[in-house]
Amino acid sequence: VVTLENATKSKLVSIPAIDLVCCGERNAMNGNDDRGIIQSAIVVGGGIIGSSIARALVQGSGGIKEVTVYDPTPTGTTTPASWAWLNANQKPPHAYKSLNQLGLRGWRSDPLLASLPSWTGTLVRTKEKLELSGGYTAEGPLTAERIRELEPEANFTNTDNTHGSVYYFADEGHVNPHEAVLALRQEAADNGVSFVTDERVVGLVRNKDNRVVGVK
């Protein structure tokens, strides 16, 4: 929320892909600051996050004209423990959960990505007490009959409380990370992003003021 008192110190940043406007504080600039307008950027890592950042930088209104991504790993590499699962359940604290919910919104509304996920919903068994509120669709604890109705092949051999309860999150899904990264990289490249795959970043280059000005 921007009030009249702080409106001059805040900056509204539009994120058109998910029809959202964010508000943040402006960086203080003094007369001795010679950074000026940032015209180039380097992104280290070109997976889902790195490719998304590169795409956003080159499409944004910040005046960045040159974006280079360094990543020698195979296209489509993702965190091994992620299962390519798109979800926001069991994500405390509230701020982190909200961030994940914005991510789900992005997957559904971004024209480039919207067709990639499979929104199958998710069955989760947990011993934790879940907070079923906050604008996130959840159903449970489920009976054995309801589990079979949702997924006949689900192998929850015991649904009593000693083994935890089963919940259904209808708004969740999964995505093929390889396809997603390829799509992000292709659109980024089409907009001028350069991808360097035959070099590995091993450190940062700093100027006399200890500011990062490059990589090595």
Side-chain angles (χ1 to χ4, degrees):
V1 177
V2 182
T3 66
L4 292 177
E5 292 180 351
N6 64 20
T8 58
K9 297 181 181 180
S10 300
K11 182 178 181 181
L12 295 178
V13 180
S14 176
I15 309 177
I18 59 175
D19 191 26
L20 186 70
V21 176
C22 296
C23 175
E25 294 298 318
R26 295 181 184 274
N27 289 327
M29 302 289 283
N30 56 53
N32 297 323
D33 197 320
D34 59 357
R35 283 176 291 184
I37 298 175
I38 299 174
Q39 296 186 350
S40 64
I42 292 174
V43 179
V44 180
I48 287 281
I49 295 177
S51 297
S52 297
I53 291 173
R55 173 190 179 224
L57 285 173
V58 78
Q59 290 181 341
S61 58
I64 297 179
K65 300 178 180 179
E66 181 181 348
V67 178
T68 304
V69 178
Y70 285 84
D71 190 351
T73 60
T75 303
T77 300
T78 186
T79 306
S82 73
W83 307 347
W85 182 12
L86 306 178
N87 75 95
N89 79 72
Q90 303 183 78
K91 297 287 183 77
H94 179 74
Y96 180 56
K97 179 178 181 179
S98 296
L99 178 64
N100 279 267
Q101 287 180 280
L102 284 174
L104 291 177
R105 178 176 174 179
W107 281 104
R108 289 183 181 276
S109 58
D110 189 309
L112 177 69
L113 304 175
S115 65
L116 298 181
S118 297
W119 300 107
T120 56
T122 307
L123 289 174
V124 176
R125 180 160 66 180
T126 178
K127 292 184 179 181
E128 298 180 12
K129 182 179 180 180
L130 300 188
E131 177 62 44
L132 303 182
S133 63
Y136 197 70
T137 304
E139 178 186 347
L142 303 179
T143 63
E145 291 73 20
R146 178 59 172 152
I147 294 172
R148 286 193 293 270
E149 178 184 345
L150 290 167
E151 179 50 74
E153 299 299 320
N155 186 25
F156 294 108
T157 56
N158 192 322
T159 57
D160 61 43
N161 291 333
T162 60
H163 291 76
S165 299
V166 179
Y167 295 83
Y168 175 54
F169 298 93
D171 295 332
E172 299 180 355
H174 61 275
V175 67
N176 183 318
H178 182 74
E179 293 179 357
V181 173
L182 280 178
L184 289 165
R185 284 192 177 188
Q186 185 60 59
E187 184 162 293
D190 291 344
N191 283 277
V193 174
S194 300
F195 287 85
V196 179
T197 59
D198 58 350
E199 297 181 23
R200 183 180 295 274
V201 174
V202 295
L204 303 176
V205 177
R206 299 178 182 271
N207 64 12
K208 61 181 181 180
D209 298 318
N210 203 37
R211 293 175 183 160
V212 177
V213 294
V215 296
K216 57 184 178 181

